[in-house]
Amino acid sequence: MSSVNLVVMVVGLLVLAQQSFQMSLRNPVAETNNCKIDFTRLGLVLTSDTNEKALQDSGLFTPDAETPYVDIAGRRFHIGTLNARFIVYVKIGGNSVNAAIAVQILLNRFRIQGIIHFGSAGSLDEKSIVPGDVSVPLAVAFTGAWNWKKFGSDKGALNFGEFNYPVNGENLLASVDYDTIKLFSKGHSPQDVFWFPSTTSWYSAATQVLQDLELSQCYDGVCLPSKPKIVLGTKASSSDSYIKNKAYGEFLHEVFNVSTADQESAAVAWTSLSNEKPFIVIRGASNVAGEASPGSHASYLASYNAFLAAAKFIESIPTPRLACE
């Protein structure tokens, strides 16, 4: 073989290798040449094993026959259809760090039309939302970013001395102010934001299809005291703190007018907005902050009812057909 031919062959191999590497970056299983992977789908993001059990129990999800899942960075991304809509779902685990990373991987490695996030939450407004109900918030705030003030300085938004028991007074913990979050997105300067609003068109669609949705009241022979309902037009609080303290829950409700608290919604919204993807948050109330747990049946029904709402919403979103069909 001449040196010229050898050089041409080596260059050709390098080009093919580069193309293969680029394809693998776009497509986690590019070596299968499966067009079902590299195709626009809806991203369904859930938080816990109970959420996933609710999804599986429904019988509405059908895994893809050839490539039912892909493992990336320790997370499993399930590929298939839900209510005849093409989806990828991932269980993100608790807290905002895991949520943001999982959603970013989902958006980087798959062609995702938008994000539907469902899970459970604690109610901060027991007059409006009780266990089993499903809240679809207009906006989510990350209430876990604090500017903790020095003792003796001006009071902040949350003054710990006001919660001294049995008598209010000074407290060495002083007070905190709630900080905004820096939101980065393509083509825009970074913005300091507190509220992450749900995508207007998707929220409008949700109000149309979910308001009359029938939810489940009983599980495994145990029933909730009242028939669960969809609650629209709320706001949600999200932070890395699991809130069991009734006084703090009431504070968040009074100051920010939030009705539920969870640990992931703001991160999902934040990542979706940064990537300019539509999103919606759907959360089932599993408990009331500061109150005794209503039991495992309520926890499951919170997940199951939230999933029913997510599935109904997904059914209303048109997605294109696979190019290989």
Side-chain angles (χ1 to χ4, degrees):
M1 179 182 295
S2 70
S3 59
V4 173
N5 289 337
L6 180 61
V7 169
V8 170
M9 183 177 71
V10 170
V11 170
L13 290 173
L14 287 173
V15 169
L16 287 173
Q18 183 181 27
Q19 290 175 342
S20 176
F21 178 69
Q22 289 173 342
M23 286 178 64
S24 295
L25 286 177
R26 294 193 304 266
N27 181 343
V29 286
E31 64 273 13
T32 66
N33 194 29
N34 182 355
C35 74
K36 293 182 180 180
I37 306 301
D38 195 26
F39 186 76
T40 301
R41 294 174 181 266
L42 293 168
L44 181 61
V45 175
L46 49 126
T47 60
S48 68
D49 292 341
T50 305
N51 299 160
E52 188 171 36
K53 175 174 168 52
L55 181 153
Q56 298 291 351
D57 287 351
S58 72
L60 297 176
F61 177 73
T62 303
D64 182 78
E66 297 177 14
T67 312
Y69 62 84
V70 177
D71 291 329
I72 308 171
R75 296 167 176 82
R76 178 155 291 184
F77 296 81
H78 299 261
I79 302 160
T81 58
L82 183 71
N83 280 342
R85 300 294 187 268
F86 302 107
I87 74 162
V88 178
Y89 89 77
V90 59
K91 183 172 57 180
I92 57 180
N95 72 48
S96 59
V97 174
N98 276 328
I101 291 172
V103 174
Q104 191 61 58
I105 293 172
L106 177 64
L107 294 174
N108 282 350
R109 304 298 291 269
F110 297 87
R111 297 185 188 274
I112 298 298
Q113 182 179 350
I115 300 292
I116 299 96
H117 172 46
F118 87 92
S120 57
S123 171
L124 306 182
D125 180 13
E126 57 186 316
K127 292 181 180 178
S128 301
I129 299 175
V130 297
D133 290 347
V134 173
S135 173
V136 187
L138 276 167
V140 181
F142 184 72
T143 54
W146 289 5
N147 174 16
W148 210 310
K149 310 189 81 170
K150 289 178 61 176
F151 179 74
S153 64
D154 293 337
K155 289 185 175 181
L158 171 58
N159 305 294
F160 290 100
E162 295 177 1
F163 294 89
N164 283 354
Y165 182 82
V167 180
N168 293 346
E170 291 194 337
N171 189 304
L172 289 176
L173 290 175
S175 61
V176 298
D177 279 328
Y178 288 81
D179 278 349
T180 56
I181 300 294
K182 194 77 73 176
L183 176 65
F184 296 85
S185 58
K186 182 179 178 181
H188 299 281
S189 299
Q191 304 174 61
D192 292 315
V193 300
F194 185 75
W195 292 105
F196 300 100
S198 298
T199 303
T200 302
S201 59
W202 275 25
Y203 196 84
S204 177
T207 60
Q208 305 265 337
V209 301
L210 297 182
Q211 56 184 344
D212 296 323
L213 179 65
E214 190 83 13
L215 301 177
S216 293
Q217 186 174 352
C218 303
Y219 171 67
D220 201 22
V222 182
C223 296
L224 298 169
S226 59
K227 189 171 180 59
K229 61 187 180 298
I230 298 284
V231 184
L232 297 158
T234 60
K235 291 182 179 179
S237 163
S238 188
S239 72
D240 286 319
S241 301
Y242 186 85
I243 300 173
K244 290 186 177 181
N245 184 279
K246 187 173 183 62
Y248 185 57
E250 290 174 347
F251 167 83
L252 289 174
H253 177 57
E254 291 171 5
V255 173
F256 299 115
N257 193 30
V258 292
S259 299
T260 59
D262 65 70
Q263 296 179 284
E264 303 85 13
S265 292
V268 174
W270 189 4
T271 312
S272 300
L273 288 170
S274 290
N275 288 273
E276 299 182 311
K277 293 293 184 180
F279 77 94
I280 195 165
V281 172
I282 299 171
R283 286 277 182 162
S286 59
N287 64 293
V288 176
E291 301 290 338
S293 171
S296 58
H297 69 291
S299 177
Y300 179 81
L301 286 170
S303 291
Y304 190 74
N305 285 338
F307 170 73
L308 290 179
K312 185 68 175 178
F313 176 77
I314 286 172
E315 190 178 5
S316 72
I317 302 298
T319 56
R321 295 183 62 80
L322 290 175
C324 54
E325 287 189 337

